[in-house]
Amino acid sequence: MPLVAMQEIVRDAWEKRYAVGYFECWNLESALAVVDAAEQMRSPVIIGFSGGFLASEGRVVRESVAVYGALGRAVACEARVPVGLLLNECEDASTVFQG
């Protein structure tokens, strides 16, 4: 199932009166684990990455938000349930635009 627009996921949950979980992922393994659990439950899910963490000035190695976006998109596109993807908690405008 392809990546689904967040609006679609939220609208369906609102209309059918159920909750959709958001799970922050830190790497490929955590993203795969979350989607695997959602598939087992046959439930839509929202995954994302912390832009605030990835863009933090204190990081020794600056990581590319675009790479994390591509990773999340690839995981979502392989899923058998609807998956929304977001960049969470980011105050740095350049990181938001990169995301």
Side-chain angles (χ1 to χ4, degrees), residues 25-93:
C25 302
W26 298 98
N27 54 27
L28 173 61
E29 292 80 5
S30 61
L32 290 172
V34 168
V35 171
D36 180 58
E39 288 175 338
Q40 288 183 39
M41 299 306 297
R42 297 187 186 121
S43 175
V45 69
I46 300 166
I47 61 172
F49 301 95
S50 171
F53 174 74
L54 294 174
S56 171
E57 298 276 331
R59 301 283 311 263
V60 174
V61 177
R62 236 12 228 231
E63 296 190 70
S64 169
V65 172
V67 169
Y68 279 84
L71 181 152
R73 183 178 189 81
V75 169
C77 288
E78 299 248 334
R80 295 184 311 250
V81 295
V83 177
L85 177 62
L86 66 84
L87 177 63
N88 193 28
E89 301 172 333
C90 189
E91 296 177 8
D92 179 58

Side-chain angles (χ1 to χ4, degrees), residues 13-24:
W14 179 264
E15 289 172 359
K16 295 178 182 171
R17 305 186 60 80
Y18 65 89
V20 177
Y22 165 70
F23 299 89
E24 198 153 286

